[in-house]
């Protein structure tokens, strides 16, 4: 893997210049996500280098079925600047929703004295996984539209374009 | 992430503005602010909202699609990135896809010109989704310059998944046809058509079309796919006359390597294509 393709793992700065009406309760960076960005594969940076693989695995398994959790610190050290005395793990979940939840809940949170930094790692997907992910996106969208219509049938409006 | 109508109602404070108004404000701010950073922030917000279909009616009604297009066409790289990501997110909506079809040129122009991998990333996801749903005419989207750009990024990526898969194969041969080649061919085949002979001035004389095809067949049968190959079906066009005593570049490209493979071929002189076509081949087992 080319070093440049790992740029998306770098932590961006939180945005502090948002106008009040659109400043949420939590600080967030300015970043966009699409179906391409999300993945069942995550990289977890900042795990203190004190043999925490088992503890990390246990914590992750609490969110959902974990398929793999391996340390890739040596591989990454040559490609990226890593925080001293930390390990980085490559983690794979069976379901995308679980990966999403893990990222949301654990990113920028404490773990045994270190602060975790979690990012999606779509570059680790196989072609088959990528194809599956794109199909899943289409299916999820269709499902959400059906569900939204069931909960609140659309009110016909003048400005709405006819299908 | 997705929201439902219920969770949105629950999250809106009693005196607060609802999602529809909020999105409207973001769109307004894009147009009224003079601060590029503020534009980057609101376009990122809008692009992320575009991920969830519950927001699509609001985005359409507030003309956020125009914001996405303006963003994509701006000079600021984060704005371009947010614009293309937004379209990638919203491309399953019928109105949005119609808009995208009409604005295909700025979208593909951005893709072909950009050097920012993330823009390429979301553009590819957008194109894939458009093709999968059959919403865009394949030939319209997959222009030669677009395909060339895709191939360039594939090579640049040095990605193990690409390198370990069978690389697209190509064989190129440079040939030079002499008058005696033409005479030999004419004697062997009986094609004494004067357009190939000395009676025609050399600048109007042309190489036998069948000879061109025979050279291509020679490459297919000896180099790509190689010995044992049997041609099942062929199509080709003679686009321009092929001249003698001129360097002629013959290219055969393997498109699909299966039991029945597909190849494409073309012959060029002076950077102009004189002959082009494709074939289905039975490969040796």
């Amino acid at each position: 893997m080319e070093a440049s393709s790992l740029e998306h793992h770098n932590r961006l700065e939180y945005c502090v210049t948002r106008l009040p009406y659109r400043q949420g309760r939590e600080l967030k960076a300015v970043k966009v996500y699409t179906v391409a960005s999300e993945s069942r594969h995550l990289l977890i940076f900042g795990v203190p280098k004190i043999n925490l693989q088992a503890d990390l695995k246990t914590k992750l398994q609490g969110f959902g079925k974990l398929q793999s959790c391996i340390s890739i610190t040596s591989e990454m050290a040559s490609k990226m600047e890593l925080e001293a005395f930390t390990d980085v793990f490559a983690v794979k979940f069976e379901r995308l929703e679980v990966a999403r939840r893990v990222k949301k809940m654990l990113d920028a949170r404490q773990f045994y004295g270190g602060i975790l930094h979690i990012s999606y790692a779509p570059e680790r997907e196989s072609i088959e996984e990528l194809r599956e992910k794109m199909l899943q996106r289409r299916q999820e969208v269709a499902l959400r539209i059906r569900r939204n219509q069931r909960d609140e049938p659309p009110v016909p409006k003048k400005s709405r374009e006819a299908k | 992430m997705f929201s439902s109508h219920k969770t949105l109602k629950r999250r809106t404070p009693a005196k607060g503005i609802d999602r529809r108004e909020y999105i409207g404000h973001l769109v307004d701010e894009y147009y009224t602010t003079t601060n590029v950073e503020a534009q980057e922030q609101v376009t990122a917000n809008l692009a992320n909202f575009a991920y969830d279909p519950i927001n699509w009616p609001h985005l359409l009604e507030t003309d956020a699609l125009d914001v996405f297009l303006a963003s994509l066409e701006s000079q600021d790289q984060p704005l371009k990135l947010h614009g293309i990501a937004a379209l990638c997110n919203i491309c399953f909506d019928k109105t949005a896809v119609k808009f995208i079809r009409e604005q295909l040129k700025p979208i593909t122009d951005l893709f072909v010109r950009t050097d920012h991998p993330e823009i390429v990333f979301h553009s590819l996801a957008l194109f894939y989704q458009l093709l999968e749903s059959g919403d865009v005419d394949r030939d319209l989207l997959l222009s030669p310059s677009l395909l060339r750009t895709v191939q360039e990024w594939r090579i640049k990526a040095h990605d193990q998944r690409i390198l370990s898969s069978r690389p697209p194969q190509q064989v190129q041969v440079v040939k030079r046809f002499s008058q005696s080649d033409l005479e030999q061919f004419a004697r062997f085949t009986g094609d004494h058509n004067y357009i190939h002979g000395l009676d025609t001035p050399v600048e109007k004389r042309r190489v036998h079309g069948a000879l061109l095809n025979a050279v291509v067949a020679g490459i297919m049968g000896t180099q790509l796919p190689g010995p044992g190959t049997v041609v099942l079906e062929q199509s080709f066009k003679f686009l321009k006359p092929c001249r003698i005593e001129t360097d002629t570049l013959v290219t055969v490209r393997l498109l699909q390597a299966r039991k029945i493979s597909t190849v494409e071929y073309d012959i060029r002189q002076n950077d102009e294509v004189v002959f082009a076509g494709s074939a289905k081949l039975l490969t040796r087992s």
Side-chain angles (χ1 to χ4, degrees):
Chain A
M1 266 182 275
E2 268 269 317
S4 61
S5 80
L6 299 174
E7 254 175 65
H8 62 278
H9 291 296
N10 292 335
R11 198 174 200 39
L12 297 175
E13 299 270 317
Y14 286 135
C15 175
V16 292
T17 57
R18 294 187 201 268
L19 289 189
Y21 83 92
R22 53 183 174 83
Q23 175 56 61
R25 258 162 276 146
E26 283 177 24
L27 284 182
K28 299 227 191 272
V30 178
K31 196 165 167 140
V32 289
Y33 290 91
T34 65
V35 59
S37 338
E38 296 184 312
S39 177
R40 299 194 277 135
H41 295 256
L42 298 176
L43 290 191
I44 302 186
F45 298 86
V47 181
K49 226 181 176 60
I50 43 174
N51 274 318
L52 288 172
Q53 174 144 6
D55 301 84
L56 182 65
K57 265 181 102 160
T58 313
K59 191 163 186 73
L60 295 175
Q61 275 159 349
F63 286 88
K65 187 132 183 256
L66 182 68
Q67 286 185 333
S68 67
C69 175
I70 55 175
S71 169
I72 54 167
T73 315
S74 40
E75 184 190 315
M76 280 312 208
S78 53
K79 298 184 190 153
M80 266 185 87
E81 250 197 69
L82 296 177
E83 198 190 326
F85 309 118
T86 64
D87 276 326
V88 46
F89 286 86
V91 152
K92 182 176 168 193
F93 289 96
E94 193 178 73
R95 290 166 62 228
L96 178 61
E97 307 83 90
V98 177
R100 270 191 203 131
R101 217 175 315 134
V102 167
K103 181 171 188 297
K104 195 173 163 78
M105 302 296 293
L106 296 185
D107 188 31
R109 297 276 201 272
Q110 283 242 22
F111 186 70
Y112 287 87
I115 308 263
L116 298 180
H117 163 47
I118 305 185
S119 49
Y120 291 113
E123 69 275 12
R124 299 183 76 87
E125 292 168 355
S126 70
I127 307 273
E128 203 40 60
E129 286 171 352
L130 176 58
R131 199 173 290 137
E132 208 181 282
K133 182 175 77 168
M134 301 301 281
L135 179 62
Q136 196 185 329
R137 165 72 181 156
R138 170 194 292 278
Q139 290 170 338
E140 270 184 348
V141 164
L143 175 73
R144 297 307 312 183
I145 292 177
R146 274 199 308 273
R147 209 173 273 181
N148 296 337
Q149 282 177 342
R150 185 199 64 201
D151 292 345
E152 201 159 289
V155 178
K157 286 199 177 124
K158 282 184 294 190
S159 54
R160 284 277 273 277
E161 288 236 348
K163 277 192 184 179
Chain B
M1 305 216 52
F2 298 108
S3 301
S4 67
H5 288 288
K6 214 166 39 166
T7 53
L8 286 182
K9 281 208 184 79
R10 188 167 15 106
R11 282 163 56 181
T12 308
K15 281 203 281 205
I17 55 175
D18 65 11
R19 181 58 64 89
R20 167 68 176 78
E21 261 187 85
Y22 186 67
I23 288 181
H25 286 317
L26 292 175
V27 170
D28 288 338
E29 190 179 339
Y30 180 84
Y31 290 117
T32 55
T33 187
T34 49
N35 181 341
V36 152
E37 266 159 42
Q39 285 183 316
E40 291 170 2
Q41 292 160 19
V42 301
T43 49
N45 279 359
L46 290 167
N48 289 329
F49 272 139
Y51 185 90
D52 187 348
I54 205 168
N55 299 312
W56 291 352
H58 309 315
L59 291 167
L60 296 174
E61 281 159 28
T62 54
D63 295 317
L65 290 180
D66 292 328
V67 171
F68 299 151
L69 180 65
S71 218
L72 205 136
E73 292 183 313
S74 81
Q75 298 305 313
D76 180 64
Q77 200 162 69
L79 285 183
K80 292 196 252 210
L81 174 63
H82 300 169
I84 192 68
L87 294 179
C88 176
N89 277 336
I90 203 172
C91 72
F92 287 125
D93 175 82
K94 290 197 163 56
T95 310
V97 88
K98 186 158 170 285
F99 180 83
I100 290 169
R101 252 206 305 273
E102 287 159 14
Q103 303 298 338
L104 213 48
K105 186 156 192 326
I107 295 170
T108 52
D109 280 351
L110 172 63
F111 174 72
V112 167
R113 297 207 190 114
T114 189
D115 54 8
H116 190 81
E118 268 193 82
I119 291 179
V120 170
F121 189 50
H122 300 304
S123 301
L124 289 171
L126 170 62
F127 299 153
Y128 181 92
Q129 289 174 113
L130 291 174
L131 291 171
E132 277 293 290
S133 49
D135 282 326
V136 151
D137 177 42
R138 202 183 168 81
D139 293 323
L140 195 60
L141 179 64
L142 302 181
S143 65
S145 57
L146 191 133
L147 290 175
R148 201 180 315 132
T149 309
V150 171
Q151 186 62 355
E152 282 165 10
W153 281 99
R154 284 185 97 220
I155 292 169
K156 243 197 281 189
H158 295 302
D159 190 300
Q160 212 32 57
R161 292 166 297 182
I162 299 173
L163 295 172
S164 56
S165 75
R166 193 107 172 273
Q169 290 176 69
Q170 178 175 288
V171 163
Q172 286 190 317
V173 159
V174 178
K175 241 187 124 50
R176 216 173 154 88
F177 298 101
S178 66
Q179 184 55 33
S180 77
D181 291 335
L182 266 51
E183 279 166 10
Q184 255 192 306
F185 191 79
R187 266 198 305 278
F188 186 78
T189 58
D191 184 357
H192 298 288
N193 191 344
Y194 66 84
I195 63 176
H196 312 301
L198 295 168
D199 287 345
T200 309
V202 72
E203 66 272 5
K204 289 218 161 49
R205 212 178 301 158
R206 52 185 81 197
V207 177
H208 298 77
L211 176 53
L212 295 180
N213 194 36
V215 170
V216 167
I219 295 175
M220 294 193 297
T222 53
Q223 292 187 67
L224 184 68
T229 303
V230 174
V231 178
L232 294 172
E233 206 181 287
Q234 250 195 305
S235 70
F236 43 79
K237 283 188 183 163
F238 299 103
L239 300 157
K240 285 185 177 337
C242 182
R243 305 294 181 200
I244 61 169
E245 301 302 349
T246 310
D247 277 345
T248 310
L249 181 64
V250 185
T251 308
V252 175
R253 260 181 307 273
L254 183 65
L255 297 183
Q256 265 196 8
R258 306 237 150 87
K259 187 69 197 158
I260 297 190
S261 300
T262 323
V263 296
E264 263 182 2
Y265 35 82
D266 64 71
I267 298 184
R268 284 165 208 261
Q269 283 185 327
N270 303 321
D271 272 345
E272 287 179 309
V273 182
V274 303
F275 172 84
S278 61
K280 282 211 178 77
L281 313 169
L282 190 63
T283 54
R284 173 183 68 174
S285 49

